mmCIF file of all heavy atoms in Angstrom:
data_model
loop_
_atom_site.group_PDB
_atom_site.id
_atom_site.type_symbol
_atom_site.label_atom_id
_atom_site.label_comp_id
_atom_site.label_asym_id
_atom_site.label_seq_id
_atom_site.Cartn_x
_atom_site.Cartn_y
_atom_site.Cartn_z
ATOM 1 N N ALA A 1 1.607 -10.431 -54.807
ATOM 2 C CA ALA A 1 2.701 -9.714 -54.150
ATOM 3 C C ALA A 1 3.870 -9.598 -55.115
ATOM 4 O O ALA A 1 4.121 -10.513 -55.915
ATOM 5 C CB ALA A 1 3.121 -10.440 -52.879
ATOM 6 N N ASP A 2 4.598 -8.487 -55.015
ATOM 7 C CA ASP A 2 5.648 -8.216 -56.001
ATOM 8 C C ASP A 2 6.819 -9.180 -55.898
ATOM 9 O O ASP A 2 7.323 -9.682 -56.889
ATOM 10 C CB ASP A 2 6.110 -6.763 -55.926
ATOM 11 C CG ASP A 2 6.650 -6.374 -54.556
ATOM 12 O OD1 ASP A 2 6.539 -7.172 -53.602
ATOM 13 O OD2 ASP A 2 7.170 -5.243 -54.437
ATOM 14 N N ASN A 3 7.301 -9.429 -54.667
ATOM 15 C CA ASN A 3 8.425 -10.343 -54.478
ATOM 16 C C ASN A 3 8.419 -10.851 -53.041
ATOM 17 O O ASN A 3 7.584 -10.434 -52.224
ATOM 18 C CB ASN A 3 9.752 -9.669 -54.833
ATOM 19 C CG ASN A 3 10.010 -8.421 -54.017
ATOM 20 O OD1 ASN A 3 10.132 -8.479 -52.797
ATOM 21 N ND2 ASN A 3 10.075 -7.265 -54.690
ATOM 22 N N LEU A 4 9.345 -11.735 -52.723
ATOM 23 C CA LEU A 4 9.365 -12.346 -51.393
ATOM 24 C C LEU A 4 10.239 -11.589 -50.412
ATOM 25 O O LEU A 4 10.409 -12.017 -49.269
ATOM 26 C CB LEU A 4 9.836 -13.809 -51.499
ATOM 27 C CG LEU A 4 8.966 -14.712 -52.381
ATOM 28 C CD1 LEU A 4 9.463 -16.144 -52.339
ATOM 29 C CD2 LEU A 4 7.504 -14.637 -51.965
ATOM 30 N N ASP A 5 10.799 -10.471 -50.846
ATOM 31 C CA ASP A 5 11.604 -9.640 -49.944
ATOM 32 C C ASP A 5 10.765 -8.489 -49.393
ATOM 33 O O ASP A 5 10.556 -8.358 -48.201
ATOM 34 C CB ASP A 5 12.841 -9.103 -50.676
ATOM 35 C CG ASP A 5 13.781 -10.226 -51.082
ATOM 36 O OD1 ASP A 5 13.997 -11.146 -50.272
ATOM 37 O OD2 ASP A 5 14.293 -10.181 -52.223
ATOM 38 N N ASN A 6 10.264 -7.644 -50.287
ATOM 39 C CA ASN A 6 9.438 -6.512 -49.847
ATOM 40 C C ASN A 6 7.998 -6.929 -49.552
ATOM 41 O O ASN A 6 7.324 -6.334 -48.718
ATOM 42 C CB ASN A 6 9.434 -5.416 -50.920
ATOM 43 C CG ASN A 6 10.819 -4.868 -51.188
ATOM 44 O OD1 ASN A 6 11.621 -4.749 -50.277
ATOM 45 N ND2 ASN A 6 11.103 -4.558 -52.439
ATOM 46 N N PHE A 7 7.522 -7.956 -50.257
ATOM 47 C CA PHE A 7 6.182 -8.499 -50.074
ATOM 48 C C PHE A 7 5.110 -7.412 -50.192
ATOM 49 O O PHE A 7 4.151 -7.380 -49.433
ATOM 50 C CB PHE A 7 6.061 -9.218 -48.730
ATOM 51 C CG PHE A 7 5.450 -10.580 -48.837
ATOM 52 C CD1 PHE A 7 6.236 -11.701 -49.001
ATOM 53 C CD2 PHE A 7 4.074 -10.744 -48.830
ATOM 54 C CE1 PHE A 7 5.677 -12.964 -49.135
ATOM 55 C CE2 PHE A 7 3.502 -11.997 -48.962
ATOM 56 C CZ PHE A 7 4.303 -13.119 -49.113
ATOM 57 N N ASN A 8 5.288 -6.506 -51.144
ATOM 58 C CA ASN A 8 4.286 -5.470 -51.366
ATOM 59 C C ASN A 8 3.063 -6.070 -52.052
ATOM 60 O O ASN A 8 3.189 -6.752 -53.071
ATOM 61 C CB ASN A 8 4.867 -4.346 -52.220
ATOM 62 C CG ASN A 8 5.981 -3.616 -51.501
ATOM 63 O OD1 ASN A 8 5.840 -3.282 -50.326
ATOM 64 N ND2 ASN A 8 7.097 -3.383 -52.177
ATOM 65 N N VAL A 9 1.888 -5.802 -51.488
ATOM 66 C CA VAL A 9 0.646 -6.347 -52.040
ATOM 67 C C VAL A 9 0.223 -5.499 -53.238
ATOM 68 O O VAL A 9 -0.006 -4.300 -53.114
ATOM 69 C CB VAL A 9 -0.467 -6.375 -50.971
ATOM 70 C CG1 VAL A 9 -1.778 -6.864 -51.573
ATOM 71 C CG2 VAL A 9 -0.049 -7.271 -49.798
ATOM 72 N N GLN A 10 0.113 -6.141 -54.392
ATOM 73 C CA GLN A 10 -0.254 -5.431 -55.617
ATOM 74 C C GLN A 10 -1.748 -5.499 -55.908
ATOM 75 O O GLN A 10 -2.298 -4.595 -56.546
ATOM 76 C CB GLN A 10 0.525 -6.015 -56.805
ATOM 77 C CG GLN A 10 2.037 -5.840 -56.690
ATOM 78 C CD GLN A 10 2.767 -6.490 -57.849
ATOM 79 O OE1 GLN A 10 2.430 -7.595 -58.265
ATOM 80 N NE2 GLN A 10 3.771 -5.805 -58.380
ATOM 81 N N ALA A 11 -2.392 -6.591 -55.474
ATOM 82 C CA ALA A 11 -3.824 -6.737 -55.737
ATOM 83 C C ALA A 11 -4.428 -7.706 -54.726
ATOM 84 O O ALA A 11 -3.750 -8.623 -54.254
ATOM 85 C CB ALA A 11 -4.076 -7.244 -57.154
ATOM 86 N N THR A 12 -5.692 -7.473 -54.398
ATOM 87 C CA THR A 12 -6.427 -8.348 -53.482
ATOM 88 C C THR A 12 -7.753 -8.722 -54.133
ATOM 89 O O THR A 12 -8.499 -7.848 -54.594
ATOM 90 C CB THR A 12 -6.706 -7.642 -52.140
ATOM 91 O OG1 THR A 12 -5.469 -7.214 -51.566
ATOM 92 C CG2 THR A 12 -7.416 -8.574 -51.170
ATOM 93 N N TYR A 13 -8.039 -10.022 -54.160
ATOM 94 C CA TYR A 13 -9.293 -10.540 -54.707
ATOM 95 C C TYR A 13 -10.078 -11.241 -53.596
ATOM 96 O O TYR A 13 -9.510 -12.023 -52.819
ATOM 97 C CB TYR A 13 -9.029 -11.568 -55.816
ATOM 98 C CG TYR A 13 -8.433 -10.988 -57.076
ATOM 99 C CD1 TYR A 13 -7.053 -10.829 -57.210
ATOM 100 C CD2 TYR A 13 -9.241 -10.614 -58.149
ATOM 101 C CE1 TYR A 13 -6.490 -10.320 -58.373
ATOM 102 C CE2 TYR A 13 -8.689 -10.093 -59.326
ATOM 103 C CZ TYR A 13 -7.314 -9.952 -59.422
ATOM 104 O OH TYR A 13 -6.769 -9.439 -60.578
ATOM 105 N N ILE A 14 -11.361 -10.965 -53.517
ATOM 106 C CA ILE A 14 -12.249 -11.656 -52.583
ATOM 107 C C ILE A 14 -13.453 -12.151 -53.377
ATOM 108 O O ILE A 14 -14.136 -11.352 -54.033
ATOM 109 C CB ILE A 14 -12.691 -10.745 -51.425
ATOM 110 C CG1 ILE A 14 -11.477 -10.300 -50.598
ATOM 111 C CG2 ILE A 14 -13.705 -11.461 -50.529
ATOM 112 C CD1 ILE A 14 -11.798 -9.342 -49.463
ATOM 113 N N ASN A 15 -13.678 -13.461 -53.324
ATOM 114 C CA ASN A 15 -14.744 -14.082 -54.137
ATOM 115 C C ASN A 15 -14.624 -13.669 -55.605
ATOM 116 O O ASN A 15 -15.623 -13.437 -56.282
ATOM 117 C CB ASN A 15 -16.129 -13.734 -53.598
ATOM 118 C CG ASN A 15 -16.443 -14.481 -52.311
ATOM 119 O OD1 ASN A 15 -15.858 -15.518 -52.012
ATOM 120 N ND2 ASN A 15 -17.373 -13.947 -51.540
ATOM 121 N N GLY A 16 -13.381 -13.575 -56.052
ATOM 122 C CA GLY A 16 -13.139 -13.246 -57.453
ATOM 123 C C GLY A 16 -13.273 -11.780 -57.807
ATOM 124 O O GLY A 16 -13.082 -11.397 -58.959
ATOM 125 N N GLU A 17 -13.582 -10.948 -56.842
ATOM 126 C CA GLU A 17 -13.724 -9.507 -57.095
ATOM 127 C C GLU A 17 -12.440 -8.786 -56.710
ATOM 128 O O GLU A 17 -11.902 -8.987 -55.612
ATOM 129 C CB GLU A 17 -14.899 -8.941 -56.303
ATOM 130 C CG GLU A 17 -15.110 -7.453 -56.530
ATOM 131 C CD GLU A 17 -16.338 -6.904 -55.839
ATOM 132 O OE1 GLU A 17 -17.148 -7.706 -55.324
ATOM 133 O OE2 GLU A 17 -16.491 -5.668 -55.792
ATOM 134 N N LEU A 18 -11.953 -7.948 -57.589
ATOM 135 C CA LEU A 18 -10.767 -7.142 -57.309
ATOM 136 C C LEU A 18 -11.158 -6.021 -56.352
ATOM 137 O O LEU A 18 -11.855 -5.082 -56.743
ATOM 138 C CB LEU A 18 -10.193 -6.565 -58.600
ATOM 139 C CG LEU A 18 -8.922 -5.724 -58.466
ATOM 140 C CD1 LEU A 18 -7.765 -6.556 -57.930
ATOM 141 C CD2 LEU A 18 -8.562 -5.101 -59.820
ATOM 142 N N VAL A 19 -10.718 -6.118 -55.085
ATOM 143 C CA VAL A 19 -11.128 -5.151 -54.065
ATOM 144 C C VAL A 19 -10.032 -4.138 -53.732
ATOM 145 O O VAL A 19 -10.298 -3.132 -53.065
ATOM 146 C CB VAL A 19 -11.597 -5.873 -52.783
ATOM 147 C CG1 VAL A 19 -12.879 -6.652 -53.036
ATOM 148 C CG2 VAL A 19 -10.508 -6.800 -52.237
ATOM 149 N N ALA A 20 -8.822 -4.398 -54.194
ATOM 150 C CA ALA A 20 -7.731 -3.432 -54.006
ATOM 151 C C ALA A 20 -6.693 -3.664 -55.083
ATOM 152 O O ALA A 20 -6.442 -4.807 -55.491
ATOM 153 C CB ALA A 20 -7.102 -3.593 -52.625
ATOM 154 N N ALA A 21 -6.072 -2.582 -55.563
ATOM 155 C CA ALA A 21 -5.051 -2.695 -56.596
ATOM 156 C C ALA A 21 -4.068 -1.545 -56.474
ATOM 157 O O ALA A 21 -4.467 -0.394 -56.297
ATOM 158 C CB ALA A 21 -5.684 -2.706 -57.980
ATOM 159 N N ASN A 22 -2.784 -1.892 -56.525
ATOM 160 C CA ASN A 22 -1.715 -0.893 -56.540
ATOM 161 C C ASN A 22 -1.827 0.109 -55.391
ATOM 162 O O ASN A 22 -1.689 1.321 -55.571
ATOM 163 C CB ASN A 22 -1.696 -0.160 -57.880
ATOM 164 C CG ASN A 22 -1.492 -1.117 -59.047
ATOM 165 O OD1 ASN A 22 -0.641 -2.010 -58.973
ATOM 166 N ND2 ASN A 22 -2.276 -0.951 -60.096
ATOM 167 N N GLY A 23 -2.113 -0.401 -54.199
ATOM 168 C CA GLY A 23 -2.135 0.441 -53.009
ATOM 169 C C GLY A 23 -3.386 1.262 -52.812
ATOM 170 O O GLY A 23 -3.416 2.144 -51.942
ATOM 171 N N ALA A 24 -4.426 0.993 -53.592
ATOM 172 C CA ALA A 24 -5.679 1.764 -53.465
ATOM 173 C C ALA A 24 -6.861 0.816 -53.303
ATOM 174 O O ALA A 24 -6.942 -0.217 -53.970
ATOM 175 C CB ALA A 24 -5.884 2.646 -54.684
ATOM 176 N N THR A 25 -7.761 1.181 -52.422
ATOM 177 C CA THR A 25 -8.968 0.382 -52.237
ATOM 178 C C THR A 25 -9.921 0.589 -53.402
ATOM 179 O O THR A 25 -9.998 1.673 -53.981
ATOM 180 C CB THR A 25 -9.665 0.732 -50.913
ATOM 181 O OG1 THR A 25 -10.746 -0.183 -50.688
ATOM 182 C CG2 THR A 25 -10.197 2.156 -50.906
ATOM 183 N N ARG A 26 -10.644 -0.469 -53.744
ATOM 184 C CA ARG A 26 -11.665 -0.372 -54.784
ATOM 185 C C ARG A 26 -13.060 -0.551 -54.195
ATOM 186 O O ARG A 26 -14.038 -0.663 -54.929
ATOM 187 C CB ARG A 26 -11.401 -1.417 -55.877
ATOM 188 C CG ARG A 26 -10.112 -1.127 -56.663
ATOM 189 C CD ARG A 26 -9.765 -2.274 -57.592
ATOM 190 N NE ARG A 26 -10.729 -2.433 -58.660
ATOM 191 C CZ ARG A 26 -10.615 -1.910 -59.876
ATOM 192 N NH1 ARG A 26 -9.571 -1.149 -60.173
ATOM 193 N NH2 ARG A 26 -11.528 -2.135 -60.808
ATOM 194 N N ILE A 27 -13.136 -0.610 -52.851
ATOM 195 C CA ILE A 27 -14.427 -0.677 -52.173
ATOM 196 C C ILE A 27 -14.916 0.756 -51.968
ATOM 197 O O ILE A 27 -14.216 1.583 -51.384
ATOM 198 C CB ILE A 27 -14.318 -1.406 -50.820
ATOM 199 C CG1 ILE A 27 -13.823 -2.836 -51.019
ATOM 200 C CG2 ILE A 27 -15.661 -1.403 -50.095
ATOM 201 C CD1 ILE A 27 -13.599 -3.598 -49.728
ATOM 202 N N ALA A 28 -16.095 1.040 -52.440
ATOM 203 C CA ALA A 28 -16.620 2.404 -52.388
ATOM 204 C C ALA A 28 -17.062 2.783 -50.974
ATOM 205 O O ALA A 28 -17.513 1.939 -50.201
ATOM 206 C CB ALA A 28 -17.789 2.538 -53.351
ATOM 207 N N PHE A 29 -16.931 4.066 -50.656
ATOM 208 C CA PHE A 29 -17.462 4.585 -49.399
ATOM 209 C C PHE A 29 -18.985 4.567 -49.457
ATOM 210 O O PHE A 29 -19.586 4.817 -50.496
ATOM 211 C CB PHE A 29 -16.978 6.015 -49.159
ATOM 212 C CG PHE A 29 -17.657 6.704 -48.009
ATOM 213 C CD1 PHE A 29 -17.321 6.386 -46.703
ATOM 214 C CD2 PHE A 29 -18.669 7.643 -48.236
ATOM 215 C CE1 PHE A 29 -17.962 7.008 -45.642
ATOM 216 C CE2 PHE A 29 -19.311 8.266 -47.182
ATOM 217 C CZ PHE A 29 -18.952 7.944 -45.879
ATOM 218 N N GLY A 30 -19.602 4.260 -48.312
ATOM 219 C CA GLY A 30 -21.056 4.260 -48.265
ATOM 220 C C GLY A 30 -21.563 4.728 -46.915
ATOM 221 O O GLY A 30 -20.825 4.752 -45.929
ATOM 222 N N HIS A 31 -22.825 5.089 -46.876
ATOM 223 C CA HIS A 31 -23.440 5.596 -45.643
ATOM 224 C C HIS A 31 -23.640 4.463 -44.642
ATOM 225 O O HIS A 31 -24.013 3.352 -45.002
ATOM 226 C CB HIS A 31 -24.784 6.243 -45.961
ATOM 227 C CG HIS A 31 -25.582 6.603 -44.740
ATOM 228 N ND1 HIS A 31 -25.284 7.710 -43.956
ATOM 229 C CD2 HIS A 31 -26.645 5.990 -44.150
ATOM 230 C CE1 HIS A 31 -26.138 7.751 -42.947
ATOM 231 N NE2 HIS A 31 -26.974 6.731 -43.039
ATOM 232 N N SER A 32 -23.395 4.751 -43.356
ATOM 233 C CA SER A 32 -23.655 3.801 -42.270
ATOM 234 C C SER A 32 -24.520 4.469 -41.212
ATOM 235 O O SER A 32 -24.328 5.649 -40.877
ATOM 236 C CB SER A 32 -22.347 3.332 -41.629
ATOM 237 O OG SER A 32 -21.572 2.567 -42.531
ATOM 238 N N GLU A 33 -25.455 3.711 -40.675
ATOM 239 C CA GLU A 33 -26.322 4.205 -39.613
ATOM 240 C C GLU A 33 -25.502 4.501 -38.358
ATOM 241 O O GLU A 33 -24.514 3.814 -38.073
ATOM 242 C CB GLU A 33 -27.381 3.140 -39.297
ATOM 243 C CG GLU A 33 -28.367 3.542 -38.208
ATOM 244 C CD GLU A 33 -29.278 2.397 -37.788
ATOM 245 O OE1 GLU A 33 -29.126 1.280 -38.341
ATOM 246 O OE2 GLU A 33 -30.124 2.621 -36.906
ATOM 247 N N GLU A 34 -25.924 5.520 -37.603
ATOM 248 C CA GLU A 34 -25.257 5.862 -36.344
ATOM 249 C C GLU A 34 -26.179 5.514 -35.178
ATOM 250 O O GLU A 34 -27.237 6.119 -35.018
ATOM 251 C CB GLU A 34 -24.882 7.350 -36.321
ATOM 252 C CG GLU A 34 -23.851 7.717 -37.389
ATOM 253 C CD GLU A 34 -23.502 9.200 -37.398
ATOM 254 O OE1 GLU A 34 -24.139 9.969 -36.623
ATOM 255 O OE2 GLU A 34 -22.620 9.589 -38.178
ATOM 256 N N ILE A 35 -25.770 4.519 -34.374
ATOM 257 C CA ILE A 35 -26.522 4.131 -33.182
ATOM 258 C C ILE A 35 -25.653 4.413 -31.965
ATOM 259 O O ILE A 35 -24.429 4.381 -32.042
ATOM 260 C CB ILE A 35 -26.952 2.652 -33.233
ATOM 261 C CG1 ILE A 35 -25.724 1.722 -33.318
ATOM 262 C CG2 ILE A 35 -27.879 2.403 -34.410
ATOM 263 C CD1 ILE A 35 -26.071 0.248 -33.237
ATOM 264 N N ASN A 36 -26.300 4.699 -30.812
ATOM 265 C CA ASN A 36 -25.500 5.116 -29.656
ATOM 266 C C ASN A 36 -26.227 4.839 -28.348
ATOM 267 O O ASN A 36 -27.410 4.471 -28.324
ATOM 268 C CB ASN A 36 -25.151 6.607 -29.774
ATOM 269 C CG ASN A 36 -23.823 6.953 -29.133
ATOM 270 O OD1 ASN A 36 -23.316 6.214 -28.289
ATOM 271 N ND2 ASN A 36 -23.247 8.073 -29.525
ATOM 272 N N ASN A 37 -25.498 5.040 -27.250
ATOM 273 C CA ASN A 37 -26.021 4.888 -25.889
ATOM 274 C C ASN A 37 -25.165 5.767 -24.991
ATOM 275 O O ASN A 37 -24.112 5.350 -24.520
ATOM 276 C CB ASN A 37 -25.949 3.414 -25.462
ATOM 277 C CG ASN A 37 -26.511 3.181 -24.062
ATOM 278 O OD1 ASN A 37 -27.105 4.079 -23.451
ATOM 279 N ND2 ASN A 37 -26.326 1.982 -23.538
ATOM 280 N N PHE A 38 -25.615 7.006 -24.773
ATOM 281 C CA PHE A 38 -24.783 8.004 -24.082
ATOM 282 C C PHE A 38 -25.674 8.894 -23.226
ATOM 283 O O PHE A 38 -26.506 9.632 -23.746
ATOM 284 C CB PHE A 38 -24.048 8.873 -25.118
ATOM 285 C CG PHE A 38 -22.631 9.171 -24.776
ATOM 286 C CD1 PHE A 38 -21.596 8.493 -25.392
ATOM 287 C CD2 PHE A 38 -22.317 10.134 -23.827
ATOM 288 C CE1 PHE A 38 -20.267 8.768 -25.080
ATOM 289 C CE2 PHE A 38 -21.012 10.414 -23.508
ATOM 290 C CZ PHE A 38 -19.974 9.734 -24.129
ATOM 291 N N HIS A 39 -25.545 8.795 -21.904
ATOM 292 C CA HIS A 39 -26.460 9.521 -21.016
ATOM 293 C C HIS A 39 -25.735 10.050 -19.776
ATOM 294 O O HIS A 39 -25.839 9.479 -18.689
ATOM 295 C CB HIS A 39 -27.613 8.613 -20.577
ATOM 296 C CG HIS A 39 -28.334 7.955 -21.700
ATOM 297 N ND1 HIS A 39 -29.234 8.618 -22.520
ATOM 298 C CD2 HIS A 39 -28.269 6.694 -22.178
ATOM 299 C CE1 HIS A 39 -29.692 7.793 -23.435
ATOM 300 N NE2 HIS A 39 -29.129 6.614 -23.247
ATOM 301 N N THR A 40 -25.003 11.127 -19.919
ATOM 302 C CA THR A 40 -24.389 11.763 -18.754
ATOM 303 C C THR A 40 -24.303 13.259 -19.003
ATOM 304 O O THR A 40 -24.320 13.709 -20.160
ATOM 305 C CB THR A 40 -23.006 11.166 -18.434
ATOM 306 O OG1 THR A 40 -22.591 11.597 -17.135
ATOM 307 C CG2 THR A 40 -21.958 11.573 -19.462
ATOM 308 N N ALA A 41 -24.222 14.023 -17.920
ATOM 309 C CA ALA A 41 -24.207 15.484 -18.019
ATOM 310 C C ALA A 41 -22.770 16.011 -17.936
ATOM 311 O O ALA A 41 -21.880 15.334 -17.429
ATOM 312 C CB ALA A 41 -25.047 16.079 -16.885
ATOM 313 N N PRO A 42 -22.531 17.212 -18.433
ATOM 314 C CA PRO A 42 -21.188 17.813 -18.325
ATOM 315 C C PRO A 42 -20.697 17.859 -16.884
ATOM 316 O O PRO A 42 -21.490 17.949 -15.944
ATOM 317 C CB PRO A 42 -21.401 19.224 -18.893
ATOM 318 C CG PRO A 42 -22.581 19.082 -19.811
ATOM 319 C CD PRO A 42 -23.471 18.073 -19.161
ATOM 320 N N LYS A 43 -19.381 17.808 -16.725
ATOM 321 C CA LYS A 43 -18.753 17.773 -15.403
ATOM 322 C C LYS A 43 -18.057 19.097 -15.086
ATOM 323 O O LYS A 43 -17.637 19.833 -15.979
ATOM 324 C CB LYS A 43 -17.734 16.627 -15.329
ATOM 325 C CG LYS A 43 -18.301 15.262 -15.723
ATOM 326 C CD LYS A 43 -19.509 14.869 -14.900
ATOM 327 C CE LYS A 43 -20.155 13.587 -15.423
ATOM 328 N NZ LYS A 43 -21.465 13.321 -14.791
ATOM 329 N N GLN A 44 -17.932 19.371 -13.795
ATOM 330 C CA GLN A 44 -17.239 20.564 -13.310
ATOM 331 C C GLN A 44 -15.827 20.190 -12.840
ATOM 332 O O GLN A 44 -15.615 19.077 -12.352
ATOM 333 C CB GLN A 44 -18.016 21.194 -12.156
ATOM 334 C CG GLN A 44 -19.421 21.632 -12.525
ATOM 335 C CD GLN A 44 -19.436 22.667 -13.634
ATOM 336 O OE1 GLN A 44 -18.628 23.604 -13.624
ATOM 337 N NE2 GLN A 44 -20.344 22.502 -14.591
ATOM 338 N N PRO A 45 -14.860 21.115 -12.953
ATOM 339 C CA PRO A 45 -13.500 20.812 -12.496
ATOM 340 C C PRO A 45 -13.451 20.324 -11.057
ATOM 341 O O PRO A 45 -12.633 19.428 -10.729
ATOM 342 C CB PRO A 45 -12.774 22.148 -12.666
ATOM 343 C CG PRO A 45 -13.508 22.833 -13.780
ATOM 344 C CD PRO A 45 -14.946 22.434 -13.610
ATOM 345 N N ALA A 46 -14.292 20.864 -10.180
ATOM 346 C CA ALA A 46 -14.274 20.473 -8.763
ATOM 347 C C ALA A 46 -14.591 18.989 -8.564
ATOM 348 O O ALA A 46 -14.209 18.398 -7.551
ATOM 349 C CB ALA A 46 -15.263 21.327 -7.973
ATOM 350 N N GLN A 47 -15.288 18.374 -9.524
ATOM 351 C CA GLN A 47 -15.637 16.960 -9.397
ATOM 352 C C GLN A 47 -14.436 16.032 -9.561
ATOM 353 O O GLN A 47 -14.526 14.844 -9.274
ATOM 354 C CB GLN A 47 -16.725 16.594 -10.417
ATOM 355 C CG GLN A 47 -18.079 17.235 -10.134
ATOM 356 C CD GLN A 47 -19.112 16.847 -11.165
ATOM 357 O OE1 GLN A 47 -19.267 17.503 -12.192
ATOM 358 N NE2 GLN A 47 -19.837 15.766 -10.896
#
């Protein structure tokens, strides 16, 4: 952190790996599976 007043985070380390620096993430975007549970039909205004 830069100082004890603004407390701006300059770098983050997890298990010794630099995962963020100078306000930017260093963790790459990756694909995630999409799972769901959705079972209903469209509704009418009268309902």
Side-chain angles (χ1 to χ4, degrees):
D2 59 352
N3 58 63
L4 300 184
D5 295 318
N6 299 324
F7 229 92
N8 295 314
V9 177
Q10 297 177 318
T12 303
Y13 292 86
I14 298 177
N15 287 338
E17 181 175 350
L18 182 63
V19 293
N22 301 316
T25 187
R26 293 172 67 95
I27 300 176
F29 170 76
H31 171 76
S32 294
E33 181 188 1
E34 296 178 355
I35 60 174
N36 211 340
N37 181 9
F38 221 102
H39 307 284
T40 193
K43 307 304 173 190
Q44 300 300 317
Q47 292 180 271

